[in-house]
Amino acid sequence: MNKRLSLLFMAVTMLLLTSMQLTAQVIYVKPGAASTAWSGKTPLYTDLQSATIAASSGTQIWVAAGTYKPTTTTDRTISFTLKDGVAIYGGFAGNETTLTQRNWTNNKTILSGDIGVVGTDTDNSYHVITGIGTSSAQLGTTTWLDGVIIEKGYGNSSSNNQNLGGGLYLNYASPTIVNCVFQNNYVSNDGGALYANNSTTTTANN
């Protein structure tokens, strides 16, 4: 993508974000009960997984800076799951009122597969995030992942595609993925950062 097309894409993206924000329900997430992010906001979760489960199509999830893991157990098959028509935005300090106020570079929102012994990669989640059967648009909304760091997926099992897509595994899924960082993910087959099967994925500025 050349510079002119890239700038055009980002301009269209900002217009889309503005229009989506005007009608979307917002769910807020902060990194644990001790965090003061999103004071007074509702609905408010301390767990991104629970927030995603609660979200319906057309919902935005605003995630404050911090580290989030897909499970508190050591079950490596559990991952964060993209949900059809739900937009996940990281990069918030926790006091913003609009999407354009966030800074995903300074306010690092980390989705980590490091669920086992901290610093030991071989017991991490097979995939940090999965997206299966999500459409690119549903009822005028978009499945969207924006402004997060995806790290520490470790796909080393040959069962059920668990050696594909350590950071993000997509199957018949077409989300938009922008402003994300994929780092320190591993698989023994293909797609350490991202593996997309039968998917049409829109990406920019990752």
Side-chain angles (χ1 to χ4, degrees):
M1 182 180 292
N2 63 37
K3 184 176 181 181
R4 180 174 295 178
L5 287 176
S6 179
L7 290 172
L8 178 61
F9 178 86
M10 295 308 294
V12 172
T13 297
M14 294 309 297
L15 288 173
L16 180 59
L17 292 183
T18 301
S19 63
M20 289 169 62
Q21 185 180 343
L22 292 176
T23 57
Q25 177 195 8
V26 177
I27 292 176
Y28 302 90
V29 182
K30 65 179 185 177
S35 172
T36 59
W38 305 128
S39 179
K41 297 289 188 180
T42 59
L44 177 61
Y45 291 82
T46 59
D47 173 49
L48 177 57
Q49 191 76 292
S50 298
T52 305
I53 292 171
S56 58
S57 179
T59 301
Q60 294 180 1
I61 302 176
W62 291 16
V63 190
T67 299
Y68 302 85
K69 299 181 181 182
T71 179
T72 57
T73 73
T74 57
D75 186 346
R76 300 181 65 198
T77 65
I78 298 174
S79 60
F80 293 110
T81 304
L82 298 179
K83 200 168 185 179
D84 210 1
V86 173
I88 299 174
Y89 297 97
F92 293 93
N95 55 8
E96 295 87 350
T97 57
T98 67
L99 284 171
T100 55
Q101 292 174 332
R102 69 194 173 114
N103 186 322
W104 56 83
T105 302
N106 292 341
N107 303 315
K108 297 185 185 303
T109 302
I110 300 170
L111 309 187
S112 172
D114 194 6
I115 61 172
V117 177
V118 175
T120 298
D121 291 340
T122 53
D123 59 3
N124 293 1
S125 298
Y126 294 120
H127 320 287
V128 180
I129 311 172
T130 56
I132 299 175
T134 63
S135 60
S136 58
Q138 179 185 22
L139 300 177
T141 64
T142 303
T143 307
W144 197 284
L145 183 65
D146 187 331
V148 298
I149 297 169
I150 301 162
E151 67 177 25
K152 296 291 186 177
Y154 198 89
N156 63 340
S157 171
S158 59
S159 300
N160 299 316
N161 298 313
Q162 290 165 351
N163 58 358
L164 302 169
L168 173 60
Y169 174 80
L170 300 174
N171 191 26
Y172 290 93
S174 301
T176 297
I177 304 167
V178 294
N179 305 318
C180 291
V181 175
F182 294 82
Q183 63 184 23
N184 301 322
N185 298 287
Y186 168 86
V187 290
S188 57
N189 196 345
D190 289 329
L194 166 65
Y195 184 88
N197 178 57
N198 291 303
S199 302
T200 304
T201 304
T202 301
T203 65
N205 198 39
N206 296 302

